[in-house]
Amino acid sequence: MFLKFSKSDILNSPLVYPETGALGYTILTRSHFIRDSDKDSDTESEDDHGENRRTLIFNKLGETIAEIGWKGRQPIEIVIGQEKIIGAKGMFGCSSAILSRNVLGIPTRFDTEYFWMAAPDGLTLLDYDSNQTKGSFHSSSMRVGERFITAPIPSLGHDYLEFEPHPLASTEELIVSFILMEVLRRSRFNLHTDLSDRSKLWRNTPLANWGRRLRRRSI
């Protein structure tokens, strides 16, 4: 299955089928701050404020099929269909994780041979037994035929989700898992976390800096 994020913010974007442009899913995240009413406002510190967000995933009919509750950047509650999971650990398997300096591998809960493999340059779903890639998150990419290439300028690319179906995992579980792993990947490898405006990323590239110098010289 191929799905394209039509907006740069993966937590607030429609997911469309690239071949037709038809809507598949919609991801919407709302944020709000909760203040403890029992605290004295004169002595209350910034740490007493907690940011709570809730990510809702809708199907094409507008029906809610999954939810993620966040406390800061930590997922504290996941709902998939009628199943409620407390904390992110319940979304993953119990076998040993794969840890190295540049790779983080976390087992799935639906197949002991499937691992989410996170690295600074990407996120994949790997069948460890056959060493075959069963899913990928393509960030800031362009689709050329049947393959993806990294966009030369971030603002020109889109994020794509590609995965094969699994008999023991629903599509909504795979989407939720990819979102959780992508947020974890960016945090672990200190990657940019605000993708709401890719033009900011473009303005910081060497090519953009070279272009600004050229314009100044031509004035």
Side-chain angles (χ1 to χ4, degrees), residues 138-145 147-153 156-158 160:
H138 306 278
S139 179
S140 299
S141 298
M142 303 174 69
R143 190 177 179 187
V144 181
R147 65 190 184 95
F148 292 89
I149 62 173
T150 301
I153 301 172
L156 296 180
H158 286 89
Y160 291 85

Side-chain angles (χ1 to χ4, degrees), residues 59-133:
N59 62 18
K60 63 181 180 181
L61 300 177
E63 301 166 334
T64 303
I65 58 172
E67 302 179 34
I68 306 172
W70 306 87
K71 179 71 172 181
R73 295 180 184 176
Q74 298 296 321
I76 57 175
E77 179 185 270
I78 296 109
V79 179
I80 301 175
Q82 301 299 316
E83 181 184 10
K84 185 176 181 180
I85 303 159
I86 303 301
K89 289 184 178 180
M91 285 294 297
F92 303 104
C94 299
S95 56
S96 299
I98 300 172
L99 298 173
S100 71
R101 181 178 179 182
N102 289 319
V103 175
L104 171 64
I106 298 180
T108 70
R109 68 171 186 166
F110 55 83
D111 193 317
T112 57
E113 298 299 330
Y114 275 47
F115 281 76
W116 303 102
M117 304 297 291
D121 59 349
L123 172 65
T124 59
L125 177 59
L126 177 70
D127 182 343
Y128 200 72
D129 187 44
S130 65
N131 198 32
Q132 293 182 345
T133 299

Side-chain angles (χ1 to χ4, degrees), residues 8-10 73 186 191-201:
S8 58
D9 182 356
I10 65 171
R73 295 180 184 176
R186 296 178 188 181
L191 305 175
H192 56 269
T193 56
D194 182 10
L195 291 181
S196 59
D197 185 2
R198 283 206 174 99
S199 62
K200 296 177 182 177
L201 303 179

Side-chain angles (χ1 to χ4, degrees), residues 34-40 44:
I34 296 178
R35 181 191 297 267
D36 188 345
S37 59
D38 295 332
K39 292 282 187 179
D40 186 341
E44 194 174 50

